[in-house]
């Protein structure tokens, strides 16, 4: 059985948290965070592209729902689906073990940087017509994360 995404995040944090803190001390927080965001963004965009090609599913609701199940595995997330259609998948995360883990480490800001910002890069990898909107996260203190994936009918770039 493959390792769950939440377990991968816990393992990666053992290396990434001290590395990012060292980069912040050396380069300053803003510059270090920008570097981490760009580097991880490129990586996660590639993951999104690979997933989308492998999934080969025209129905956005089905495709994103299946991807999200991987992130929720091992009771990592509790969420409520708001809308699932050909061109949309909207849901609210109501409990997040990723946020619980980073808060227990005393590093919710790094959790947001290392986990939550990947969501947008991954969505970018789904293609120029797929957009993600999210206005709040549990990692940043909200009571829920509001994910809204939509297919842009105009196909903008």
């Amino acid at each position: 059985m493959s390792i769950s995404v939440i377990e991968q995040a816990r393992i990666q944090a053992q290396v990434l948290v001290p590395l990012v803190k060292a980069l912040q001390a050396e380069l300053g927080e803003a510059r270090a965070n920008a570097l981490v965001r760009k580097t991880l963004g490129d990586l996660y965009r590639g993951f999104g592209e690979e997933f989308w090609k492998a999934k080969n599913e025209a129905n956005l609701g089905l495709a994103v729902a299946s991807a999200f199940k991987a992130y929720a595995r091992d009771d990592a997330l509790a969420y409520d689906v708001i809308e699932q259609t050909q061109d949309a998948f909207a849901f609210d995360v109501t409990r997040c073990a990723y946020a619980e883990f980073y808060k227990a480490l005393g590093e919710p800001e790094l959790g947001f940087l290392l986990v939550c910002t990947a969501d947008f890069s991954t969505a970018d990898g789904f293609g120029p017509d797929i957009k993600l909107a999210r206005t709040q996260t549990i990692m940043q203190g909200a009571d829920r994360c509001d994910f809204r994936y939509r297919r842009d009918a105009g196909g903008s770039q």
Side-chain angles (χ1 to χ4, degrees):
M1 179 182 235
S2 66
I3 188 167
S4 67
V5 179
I6 184 66
E7 196 55 34
Q8 289 175 37
R10 289 178 180 136
I11 293 166
Q12 291 167 348
Q14 294 176 38
V15 173
L16 292 177
V17 168
L19 177 62
V20 172
K21 289 177 87 126
L23 286 169
Q24 289 173 337
E26 188 70 26
L27 303 174
E29 187 173 333
R31 191 166 166 216
N33 289 359
L35 177 63
V36 170
R37 235 184 326 276
K38 182 190 179 330
T39 303
L40 292 180
D42 292 345
L43 178 71
Y44 284 107
R45 190 171 306 99
F47 289 162
E49 290 169 359
E50 288 175 23
F51 166 80
W52 201 255
K53 286 177 190 165
K55 195 69 180 166
N56 195 25
E57 172 62 66
N59 185 309
L60 176 64
L62 290 176
V64 178
S66 73
F68 204 73
K69 285 180 184 173
Y71 291 95
R73 191 175 125 202
D74 288 353
D75 197 33
L77 302 169
Y79 61 99
D80 298 322
V81 176
I82 309 299
E83 178 184 13
Q84 184 173 352
T85 68
Q86 175 79 20
D87 295 318
F89 187 61
F91 60 96
D92 289 343
V93 172
T94 56
R95 188 191 62 74
C96 177
Y98 301 89
E100 293 163 3
F101 171 73
Y102 274 95
K103 285 179 183 177
L105 287 179
E107 300 291 349
E109 307 83 24
L110 290 184
F112 183 79
L113 176 67
L114 297 171
V115 176
C116 302
T117 59
D119 297 328
F120 288 95
S121 298
T122 302
D124 287 346
F126 294 168
D129 62 330
I130 308 300
K131 302 298 178 205
L132 168 61
R134 189 185 63 216
T135 64
Q136 59 186 8
T137 65
I138 294 170
M139 193 81 76
Q140 292 181 304
D143 66 342
R144 63 190 55 242
C145 306
D146 58 341
F147 287 82
R148 305 296 185 259
Y149 289 87
R150 299 242 179 259
R151 186 180 319 276
D152 180 10
S156 67
Q157 297 178 19

